[in-house]
Amino acid sequence: MNTTPQTGNDQAAFWNGRAGRAWIVEQEVLDAVLQPFEDLLVAAVGASSSQRVLDVGCGTGSTTLAVAR
């Protein structure tokens, strides 16, 4: 996989191409691997008075959706 930083339209082409498809194909596996971290995050947010969470590049989006709920 090419790890050269992409910008602008190159970035869109990158994620709309082979790299993006790889994430879609492996979504179930990635979500299962990240589930323990998602559970910890949801518990930590629920136990605090936090109103905001910054989710940066966490898998396929399941952590973002879980915290939003």
Side-chain angles (χ1 to χ4, degrees):
M1 178 182 234
N2 181 0
T3 58
T4 304
Q6 305 288 315
T7 59
N9 290 335
D10 290 341
Q11 186 68 243
F14 179 78
W15 287 109
N16 287 324
R18 213 165 104 195
R21 285 191 300 276
W23 279 87
I24 291 167
V25 167
E26 297 300 329
Q27 181 174 356
E28 267 188 62
V29 172
L30 291 165
D31 288 350
V33 166
L34 295 173
Q35 184 69 52
F37 300 102
E38 180 181 309
D39 294 342
L40 290 169
L41 176 62
V42 169
V45 170
S48 74
S49 60
S50 298
Q51 297 283 320
R52 297 180 182 164
V53 174
L54 176 61
D55 185 356
V56 181
C58 295
T60 60
S62 65
T63 54
T64 304
L65 295 172
V67 171
R69 284 191 291 273

